[in-house]
Amino acid sequence: MILKAIIVEDEETSREILRNYLKKYCPSVELVGEAAGIEEGLTLIRNNSLELVFLDVEMPYGNAFDLLDKVGDRTFETVFVTAYDHYAIDALNAHASYYLLKPISIDELIKAVDYVTEIKQQEERLQDQVLVPSSKQVQGKITIPLQSGFEVLAVDDILYCQADDNYTQIYLEKGKKLVSKTLKYFEDILADQGFARIHKSYLVNVNAVVAYNKGKGGSVVLSNGKELLVSAAKKSALLSYFK
């Protein structure tokens, strides 16, 4: 698969190094343009159908996050390339697929491109389809603790779980429950019952997913119409549930 890509980087030497590395080690990447600043980058993004943007964090008159805010809804993946490791959390929150530190490691660059390729191939296979789980739904029940004992919930009735500090909000077909357990707790007990962690805050019933959107970095739509963001790190694992 060919990935149409651009580089947004204010340092000419850094652009040259990345360009040469991509040409030599990542032949699946087709560079269609380069930009030295936010406005140039925005123009390239709006004028091209892209799969991948290599993006420096700090640039004149703003930063990478300002650029992504201006882009809004997007279908391309983002690989941050920066000399500063303290932007890692911000990059994750901006749904970056990968975070490369300068000087660029060739091995890490190849991993980044391979990861984006995997995501894009999966998205391409699922393009314009209503998703159907590839594995059979597992019937079952779980218990949630109450002061007076416990309550039994049918797993089928759970749409998704949302982290709330050390608590978890369980959203059901009808209503919701607040449980004094972490999201990781429910991730573990529901792992073999058709649930997937799609974000640091969300665990979804894969059987409740009716659509996948590439915009906003990736999101799923559930049977009740609720749309939830999918983090870049969880995207490939989620898409593997479907065929």
Side-chain angles (χ1 to χ4, degrees):
M1 180 180 188
I2 299 300
L3 300 176
K4 289 188 177 181
I6 63 170
I7 298 172
V8 184
E9 160 71 67
D10 65 308
E11 295 180 0
E12 184 176 353
T13 301
S14 296
R15 290 200 305 275
E16 182 179 0
I17 291 172
L18 180 53
R19 182 195 318 127
N20 291 337
Y21 279 0
L22 290 171
K23 183 177 180 180
K24 185 173 182 179
Y25 300 106
C26 303
S28 64
V29 176
E30 177 189 345
L31 279 181
V32 297
E34 298 179 15
I38 290 176
E39 293 305 321
E40 275 185 81
L42 189 59
T43 299
L44 282 175
I45 288 169
R46 287 174 173 169
N47 291 340
N48 292 278
S49 178
L50 302 171
E51 282 78 41
L52 177 57
V53 173
F54 292 95
L55 189 55
D56 187 17
V57 175
E58 291 194 343
M59 289 176 287
Y61 310 110
N63 59 35
F65 309 109
D66 297 326
L67 172 58
L68 293 177
D69 284 343
K70 291 185 177 183
V71 171
D73 196 20
R74 62 185 189 271
T75 59
F76 59 82
E77 300 298 318
T78 307
V79 172
F80 280 84
V81 186
T82 178
Y84 306 99
D85 59 4
H86 59 270
Y87 286 113
I89 298 299
D90 291 332
L92 288 174
N93 289 336
H95 307 290
S97 294
Y98 221 88
Y99 191 88
L100 295 175
L101 283 174
K102 299 176 183 177
I104 296 173
S105 161
I106 294 171
D107 288 341
E108 288 299 309
L109 176 61
I110 293 172
K111 286 180 184 178
V113 171
D114 285 347
Y115 183 71
V116 171
T117 300
E118 181 182 357
I119 291 172
K120 286 301 177 184
Q121 286 174 335
Q122 290 172 317
E123 288 182 340
E124 193 173 76
R125 288 194 295 268
L126 300 170
Q127 184 73 38
D128 298 326
Q129 296 182 32
V130 174
L131 306 186
V132 178
S134 61
S135 58
K136 293 182 180 179
Q137 186 174 22
V138 179
Q139 303 295 326
K141 297 180 184 294
I142 62 169
T143 62
I144 58 174
L146 302 173
Q147 286 186 339
S148 58
F150 62 84
E151 181 177 356
V152 180
L153 297 180
V155 171
D156 293 352
D157 290 340
I158 301 173
L159 298 177
Y160 69 99
C161 303
Q162 181 175 357
D164 188 356
D165 292 328
N166 290 324
Y167 291 79
T168 297
Q169 296 275 5
I170 300 178
Y171 288 83
L172 306 166
E173 290 283 356
K174 295 181 180 179
K176 64 180 180 178
K177 304 287 184 180
L178 179 64
V179 184
S180 57
K181 296 287 186 181
T182 64
L183 189 62
K184 180 64 167 63
Y185 172 85
F186 286 101
E187 181 181 7
D188 291 340
I189 66 172
L190 293 171
D192 61 350
Q193 301 203 53
F195 282 73
R197 187 76 174 261
I198 64 167
H199 188 277
K200 64 181 180 180
S201 298
Y202 302 123
L203 177 72
V204 301
N205 185 342
V206 177
N207 294 282
V209 175
V210 297
Y212 172 79
N213 297 322
K214 293 188 291 185
K216 300 178 182 177
S219 65
V220 292
V221 179
L222 303 183
S223 57
N224 66 345
K226 179 70 174 181
E227 185 174 8
L228 300 175
L229 292 177
V230 179
S231 69
K234 303 294 185 182
K235 195 178 294 185
S236 180
L238 171 70
L239 293 175
S240 69
Y241 276 84
F242 304 98
K243 63 180 180 180

